[in-house]
Amino acid sequence: MSEHEHANNSEDAAVSDLKDESAGIGETSGHPVAGERPEQVFEYARAPESRSVVHLRSSYGLFIDGAFVEPVDAKSYKTENPATEEVLAEIAAAGVEDVDRAVQAAGRAQKMVWGPMPGAERAKYLFRIARIMQERSRELAVLESLDNGKPIRESRDVDVPLAAAHFFYYAGWADKLDYAGFGPNPAPIGVAGQVIPWNFPLMMAAWKLAPALAAGNTCVLKPASTTPLSALLLAEIIQQADLPPGVVNVITGAGSLAGAALVAHPGVDKVAFTGSTEVGKDLQRALAGTGKHLTLELGGKAANIVFEDAPLDQAIEGIVNGIFFNQGEVCCAGSRLLVQESIADIVVERLKRRLATLRVGDPLDKNTDLGAINNPAQLDKIRELAAAGEAEGAIRWSPSCTLPSKGYWFAPTVFTNVSPAHRIAQEEIFGPVLSVLTFRTPEEAVAKANNTVYGLSAGVWTEKGSRILWMAGQLRAGVVWANSFNRFDPTSPFGGYRESGFGREGGRQGLGAYLDV
Ligand code: NAD
């Protein structure tokens, strides 16, 4: 079995600049630019909107036991840029034997090194990872936008800083587990098998790894097959941070093969899954009776509820951010707008005017608001549900916008005249499609908002504080945002009710998912 360090791979190819409008800041090291104020060094810094900061390799191996290695049967697949359909790199496709090697490595590392290590020592490693993520934030942001299709403004200002923040936050917990509220001497569960989706590849990796490592577990992480690159760069960062071999392993490949083998492996003590409700339910069935710990973060169909006394300027921005952030490929997206009947016409009118200003296109252009849909299967799903909306009698509207001819694109879309029984009011679309429904009373708003199998998030827009509190108590959703939407913070637990899953990530509660008491 051949093993190679990727840093020395002669096939490495720095991909030429497609769009370097920023010669002055397009340096390649990813390190802070000379002359910046020192305090900006540890801010996440600005990512230049250029791919020159990223040295894409032509191929990537699996990260097992501290080294990048080829899969046993040398299988691979291609990951592409969804905005252009060009191939970005060849990615190793892990098989059952590779998964076994990764789990064995994680098991050894957990028992011999990471588990027995004092929490204060583990904390140092987590801090180091966070710091290196900040230093290499430009690479991370550009790579994330290339592989996922999301606007650079979002990967730069949201995904990367929030991912680093998770490591900082959980580093602080590593030596304080006794105070996390789960009883004295909480122990790590063991080896965590972690499977994540393509919509926030880096952020989901951080949400999974940081609390697990802080609690003394070791990890085998399986990124989604269409977005492996940022997790592989994170593996490189973990190597750079000198984490003991085997503490974190990253295996790439198909969910049905590598993912399924990982969660089924007897050496995995805890499975943490974020992805579709369908696969989540399959995992729950498959793991029944195995004694493995399981947490599931699944789909959603959030209601964004706007009352007639809402601060309207803010609410319009919150509706737009709620559904068009990350092209609507967000589990907690505010995909159902519930607007009080008395202001429905004005809200829809203002929303359309605002949507006409959205810029759809090149994810690496810092002015872009909406990027590409991550993969063709997802684009088909969005198209199919939008067609179903029209067929069921809802009225479809999009601003005029020219979509690029190559790549996977879907224009921002609003449906009015939606009834609660329509598929577009019930099913998760996971795309830039908003369904508008109306209500008259707060009770009706609650009934309509809760009329879903999901329960991940909701938004309430009103100037009335008592109403916010009442609504928050009535809404069956893991998160209720008040006069805001899509706000995340590592200190705050996130997770679902009902078919949105169970378990919480973030905050003190996020540690509980990785501790035995
Ligand atoms: P998906 O379920 O198809 O895939 C998720 C991950 O599971 C991928 O890594 C995939 O390779 C793997 N996988 C697929 N089949 C598997 C199997 N049989 N065994 C083990 N692993 C398997 O979902 P997706 O299309 O990547 O992501 C979109 C979905 O994720 C949406 O439904 C969205 O709502 C959900 N999501 C939820 C949250 C949350 O926090 N609740 C966050 C992001 C995304």
Side-chain angles (χ1 to χ4, degrees), residues 4 27 48 53 61 74 138 144 148 157 162 251 265 333 338 350 358 385-386 411 488 508:
H4 58 272
E27 34 78 79
V53 292
R138 298 164 169 211
E144 194 76 322
N148 168 277
D157 297 346
L162 263 178
I251 51 157
H265 196 292
L338 293 188
R350 288 191 55 179
L358 288 186
L385 275 160
F488 304 97
R508 182 180 68 75

Side-chain angles (χ1 to χ4, degrees), residues 3 21 52-53 66 91 124 174 191 238 246 288 292 363 427 458 513-514:
E3 199 170 295
E21 43 172 41
S52 68
V53 292
I91 305 297
K124 288 184 198 167
V191 174
I238 282 165
K292 289 183 191 191
E427 295 180 31
Y514 290 99

Side-chain angles (χ1 to χ4, degrees), residues 28 52 112 169 183 307 337 346 369 387 398 411 413 456 475 485 492:
T28 56
S52 68
M112 289 154 70
Y169 174 72
F307 285 94
L337 170 62
I346 178 82
D369 297 305
S398 288
T413 299
L456 197 50
L475 291 167
F485 208 92
S492 151

